[in-house]
Amino acid sequence: MQLALATPLFRSIALGSILFGLTLGAIITTNHHRTEHRLVLHTSSRTGAIYLTAWRHGGVRATFEQGAQLQPIVLKTRAQLPDGCRWMGIETLTPLDNNRYFYSYDEEILGCDPGESPGYYKTPRSGIVTVE
């Protein structure tokens, strides 16, 4: 099983990060009382697994309307992996209260190049995202 990541994967993750920022921006209202927070993911990871996640470098910064309730967020990151297959990571954040989300991560195989088959295994996981 190959563990090295190809350049197209990093481009896909970068695009996913941009879409993540736009998604968070879409839940912000025009109220001028906004505060910036760090979203921190608390979950386990399998050794050697590849996760198509916005949290690949740690916490994520987001701006929310002050005092507003958290809204659900769904993030989708697509990548062409070295196994010749196109994968999509799906991260779902469901509000638990005003400071925490329930986090779930799943993957879909969107398709493979002719003659290729998935060389990786799916790595679903769940956890908590705190708003700090």
Side-chain angles (χ1 to χ4, degrees), residues 83-128:
D83 63 359
C85 297
R86 292 164 304 287
W87 290 69
M88 180 169 57
I90 304 164
E91 296 174 287
T92 304
L93 284 69
T94 306
L96 292 172
D97 53 37
N98 284 333
N99 299 308
R100 297 179 306 145
Y101 284 99
F102 175 76
Y103 171 86
S104 67
Y105 175 88
D106 205 358
E107 296 154 326
E108 289 183 22
I109 300 169
L110 302 175
C112 296
D113 293 339
E116 299 291 341
S117 61
Y120 299 95
Y121 53 90
K122 292 183 180 182
T123 53
R125 62 182 179 166
S126 61
I128 300 290

Side-chain angles (χ1 to χ4, degrees), residues 1-116:
M1 178 183 304
Q2 295 176 333
L3 295 178
L5 300 178
T7 302
L9 171 63
F10 291 116
R11 284 194 299 261
S12 295
I13 290 174
L15 178 59
S17 296
I18 291 167
L19 293 175
F20 175 72
L22 293 174
T23 301
L24 287 180
I27 64 172
I28 299 170
T29 66
T30 57
N31 190 325
H32 295 290
H33 301 293
R34 295 184 226 160
T35 56
E36 185 174 277
H37 295 277
R38 184 172 178 240
L39 302 181
V40 179
L41 177 60
H42 306 275
T43 190
S44 59
S45 299
R46 288 186 181 175
T47 302
I50 295 173
Y51 295 99
L52 304 177
T53 178
W55 281 268
R56 70 190 175 286
H57 297 301
V60 171
R61 306 231 31 105
T63 304
F64 297 98
E65 181 182 351
Q66 191 172 16
Q69 293 184 353
L70 298 178
Q71 299 297 313
I73 301 171
V74 176
L75 308 168
K76 296 180 180 181
T77 305
R78 291 180 170 92
Q80 173 85 31
L81 296 183
D83 63 359
C85 297
R86 292 164 304 287
W87 290 69
M88 180 169 57
I90 304 164
E91 296 174 287
T92 304
L93 284 69
T94 306
L96 292 172
D97 53 37
N98 284 333
N99 299 308
R100 297 179 306 145
Y101 284 99
F102 175 76
Y103 171 86
S104 67
Y105 175 88
D106 205 358
E107 296 154 326
E108 289 183 22
I109 300 169
L110 302 175
C112 296
D113 293 339
E116 299 291 341

